[in-house]
Amino acid sequence: MTSVESTRVKPPTPRERARTQTIADIVRLGREHLALHGAAALSLRAVARDLGVVSSAVYRYVENRDELLTLLLIDGYNELGDEVDAAVDSVPESDFAGQFRALATAVRAWAIREPASYALLFGSPVPGYQAPGERTTVPGTRVIVRLVHIFDAAFRAGALDAEVSPGVVIPEGLAADLAAIRTEMNLAAPDASLARGVLVWTSLFGAVSFEVFGQYGPDTFKAREELFGHQLSVLQGVVGLQG
Amino acid sequence: MTSVESTRVKPPTPRERARTQTIADIVRLGREHLALHGAAALSLRAVARDLGVVSSAVYRYVENRDELLTLLLIDGYNELGDEVDAAVDSVPESDFAGQFRALATAVRAWAIREPASYALLFGSPVPGYQAPGERTTVPGTRVIVRLVHIFDAAFRAGALDAEVSPGVVIPEGLAADLAAIRTEMNLAAPDASLARGVLVWTSLFGAVSFEVFGQYGPDTFKAREELFGHQLSVLQGVVGLQG
DNA sequence: TGTACATCAGTGAACGCGCGTTCACTGATGTAC
DNA sequence: TGTACATCAGTGAACGCGCGTTCACTGATGTAC
C-alpha cells in the first residue's frame, strides 16, 4: 500500500494539521461540556456552538454522539494513565510502597481536578452507550496494570509479605480466575497476594469515588487528605507491602 | 389545631387513598424509567404517559422534576435500608462478623437487583440536581449508621481487635474528625477502629460499584460471589473483627 | 336527607426550548498533468 | 508554472422528536348547612 508509506514519509499538509487540531478542539470542548453538564447531557450541537461552527459541521470529524463519548473516554483514560505513570516513575524502583502511594495519590488528584471525566470513567454507566472494547480496553486498564506490576515486582524482590493472614482461604473458582490473570499478565505473586491486590484496587477507587461523588457529606470529614493517607497505609498492610 | 387532630382520627377519604396510591404509582413508574434510561433522562412526561394521564396532571402530585428525583432517592435509600436491616436482624446479636457479612451481602444483592437505583444513590451525581439534605440525610445514612453500630457493639463486647496494626498512626486532623463522629454517634471504639471502619465502608461500596458499574470487564472475574466473599473476609481482618 | 358551594383531579392547548441527523449546496484547498 | 479536476470543510435549511412548565377549563368528589 503506497498510500500508507507516503503518509508516513510526507509531512502533514496544512489541511491535515487543521483537521488534527479541530478534532483536538472538539475533544477539549467536549470535556468542558462534560464538566458543566454531565455525560448524559453531552451534545454535538453544544460542542459545535462552542467551536463556532454550524451543528452539521462536526459530522465531518465525528461519526455521531457515541463516538464523541468514546473519544472523551479514551482521552480521560490516557490523561489519567500519563499522570499515574509520571508519578510512579518519579519514585525509586526499589521503593514499592512509595510507588503504590504515588499511584494512588495521582489517581485521587486527577479525580478531584477532573470530577466529570472521573465520573465518565468510573461512575454510573451512560445509559444507552456501550464503550467499544477494542478501542478502550488498552487505555482503560493502564492504572490497574501498573498497580499489579508494582505488587508483582515487590513480590519478586521479596518485599511483599504473602502470609499476611494465613487463615483466609481462596475458594476454587476465584483461584481459577486468578490463575488466568497470572498467566495472561505473566505474574509471579501467589493467589493470596493477587486477591488482596484486587481488593486494594477496588478499595482505592471506592475511597476516591466516595470523596469525588460527595458521599462523605459536606461536614463529616474535614481532613480528607489525612483520611486518604491513612487509608493508603492500611491498604499497604492489607496487601503486605512493607515500608 | 383541630384539622391536624381530625386527620389523625378520621380514616382517609377515598380521595386521599387515591392520592396516596397515585403518588406510589408515580414513584414506581419513575423507578422503571430510571432502570431503562438513567437518571439524567428521567422525565415527568414519560411518567405521565406510563400513568395513562396527560403530562400536566402529574404536577398535581409532584412539584417538578427535581422533586421526583428526590422521591426516588428517598425510596431507594429506604428500600436498601429495610433490606439491610432485615438481613442484619436475622443474625444473632452476638455474631458481629455474621452481621457485618449479612449487611454487606444485602447491599450487594440489592445493588445487583436494582442497578439504576444504586447508580442514583452511589454513582455519579446527577448534573444540576442537589439533594435536599433535610429530607435525604436520615434515609441516606441508614447503612453506614448500622455498620458503625455493628463495629461499636463488637468493640464493647470485646470482639474487636483494636490493635490490628499498631504501627499506623492517626494524624491530628483525622483524629479530630473521628472524635466528632464518636461524640455525635455516642461510640466507644478508639480512633484506630473508627478509621478502619471508614475504610471498610468505602471498600465495601467500592467493590459493589466496580461490579455493578462493569469495571471488572466482561470476562476477568467469573467467580464474583467468591471474590466478594473473599473481600469481606479480608475486610473483616482489616477492622479486627473476629469470626 | 337535600341542596349550595368549595375543593380537587385531570384535560388539552400552548410556550419556547434543545436535540441528533440528513442533505444539497458553495467555496476553498490540494493534486495531477 | 499554469490549468482542470477532485477533495474536503463548512453552510443553512429542514425533518421529527421529546422535554418542562403554565394556564384556563370541565366535571367529579367532598363538605357545610
Side-chain angles (χ1 to χ4, degrees):
Chain A
M1 301 283 277
T2 318
S3 66
V4 170
E5 287 172 29
S6 62
T7 45
R8 285 207 193 161
V9 171
K10 286 182 187 169
T13 66
R15 204 183 241 174
E16 280 170 349
R17 270 186 285 115
R19 186 177 177 83
T20 305
Q21 181 58 50
T22 303
I23 291 180
D25 285 346
I26 288 173
V27 171
R28 182 176 49 79
L29 294 168
R31 281 181 63 154
E32 286 178 17
H33 202 74
L34 203 68
L36 288 173
H37 309 102
L42 181 72
S43 98
L44 287 185
R45 286 188 105 109
V47 169
R49 264 196 306 276
D50 292 358
L51 198 61
V53 114
V54 102
S55 70
S56 54
V58 293
Y59 285 85
R60 297 272 168 217
Y61 301 94
V62 164
E63 210 179 323
N64 50 35
R65 201 194 88 113
D66 278 7
E67 206 207 327
L68 177 56
L69 268 181
T70 300
L71 291 178
L72 292 173
L73 207 56
I74 294 171
D75 182 64
Y77 278 131
N78 278 327
E79 187 176 279
L80 172 62
D82 288 348
E83 295 193 10
V84 162
D85 280 348
V88 174
D89 288 341
S90 74
V91 175
E93 265 194 51
S94 59
D95 180 6
F96 303 106
Q99 291 188 342
F100 164 66
R101 299 186 81 99
L103 179 146
T105 305
V107 169
R108 176 173 177 266
W110 182 79
I112 290 174
R113 182 156 32 84
E114 302 283 348
S117 293
Y118 180 83
L120 176 63
L121 272 48
F122 300 100
S124 334
V126 180
Y129 170 73
Q130 176 79 315
E134 65 279 7
R135 293 173 69 188
T136 57
T137 299
V138 169
T141 51
R142 285 177 61 179
V143 172
I144 176 60
V145 165
R146 189 81 207 236
L147 181 65
V148 166
H149 281 140
I150 293 172
F151 291 156
D152 202 59
F155 174 79
R156 289 175 198 261
L160 200 69
D161 181 2
E163 300 293 320
V164 177
S165 69
V168 178
V169 290
I170 308 281
E172 208 176 318
L174 178 56
D177 287 341
L178 295 174
I181 295 170
R182 183 181 300 107
T183 302
E184 188 172 351
M185 296 183 71
N186 197 24
L187 304 176
D191 282 359
S193 298
L194 292 186
R196 281 155 180 278
V198 174
L199 177 63
V200 169
W201 175 46
T202 59
S203 298
L204 164 61
F205 281 90
V208 171
S209 291
F210 260 38
E211 189 170 343
V212 171
F213 295 162
Q215 292 289 340
Y216 285 149
D219 303 317
T220 310
F221 288 105
K222 294 176 192 74
R224 299 201 168 176
E225 300 211 359
E226 287 184 11
L227 173 63
F228 187 70
H230 176 263
Q231 288 173 325
L232 292 187
S233 300
V234 176
L235 289 176
Q236 250 177 264
V238 165
V239 78
L241 198 57
Q242 293 146 19
Chain B
M1 303 280 280
T2 317
S3 66
V4 170
E5 286 171 29
S6 62
T7 45
R8 286 208 194 161
V9 171
K10 285 183 189 168
T13 67
R15 205 183 240 173
E16 279 169 350
R17 271 186 285 116
R19 187 178 176 83
T20 306
Q21 182 58 50
T22 302
I23 291 180
D25 286 345
I26 288 174
V27 170
R28 182 176 48 80
L29 293 168
R31 279 181 63 156
E32 286 177 19
H33 202 73
L34 204 67
L36 287 173
H37 310 100
L42 181 71
S43 99
L44 286 187
R45 287 189 106 110
V47 169
R49 264 196 305 276
D50 292 357
L51 198 61
V53 115
V54 101
S55 70
S56 55
V58 292
Y59 284 85
R60 297 270 168 217
Y61 301 93
V62 164
E63 212 179 323
N64 50 37
R65 199 194 90 113
D66 278 8
E67 206 208 327
L68 178 56
L69 268 181
T70 301
L71 290 179
L72 292 173
L73 207 57
I74 294 171
D75 182 64
Y77 278 132
N78 279 327
E79 188 176 279
L80 172 62
D82 288 347
E83 295 193 11
V84 161
D85 280 348
V88 174
D89 289 341
S90 73
V91 175
E93 266 195 51
S94 59
D95 181 6
F96 303 107
Q99 291 189 341
F100 164 66
R101 299 185 81 98
L103 179 145
T105 306
V107 169
R108 175 171 177 266
W110 183 80
I112 290 174
R113 182 154 33 84
E114 303 283 348
S117 292
Y118 180 83
L120 177 63
L121 272 48
F122 300 102
S124 334
V126 180
Y129 170 72
Q130 175 79 312
E134 64 279 7
R135 293 173 69 188
T136 57
T137 299
V138 169
T141 51
R142 285 178 60 179
V143 172
I144 177 60
V145 165
R146 189 80 206 237
L147 181 64
V148 166
H149 282 141
I150 293 172
F151 291 156
D152 203 57
F155 174 78
R156 289 175 198 260
L160 200 70
D161 182 2
E163 301 293 321
V164 178
S165 70
V168 178
V169 289
I170 308 281
E172 209 176 317
L174 178 56
D177 287 341
L178 295 174
I181 294 170
R182 183 182 299 107
T183 302
E184 189 172 348
M185 297 184 71
N186 196 24
L187 304 175
D191 281 359
S193 298
L194 293 186
R196 280 154 180 277
V198 173
L199 176 62
V200 169
W201 174 46
T202 59
S203 299
L204 164 62
F205 281 89
V208 171
S209 291
F210 260 38
E211 189 171 343
V212 172
F213 295 162
Q215 293 287 339
Y216 284 149
D219 302 317
T220 311
F221 288 106
K222 294 176 191 74
R224 298 200 169 177
E225 300 210 0
E226 287 183 13
L227 173 62
F228 188 69
H230 176 263
Q231 288 173 324
L232 293 188
S233 299
V234 176
L235 289 176
Q236 249 177 266
V238 165
V239 78
L241 197 56
Q242 294 144 19

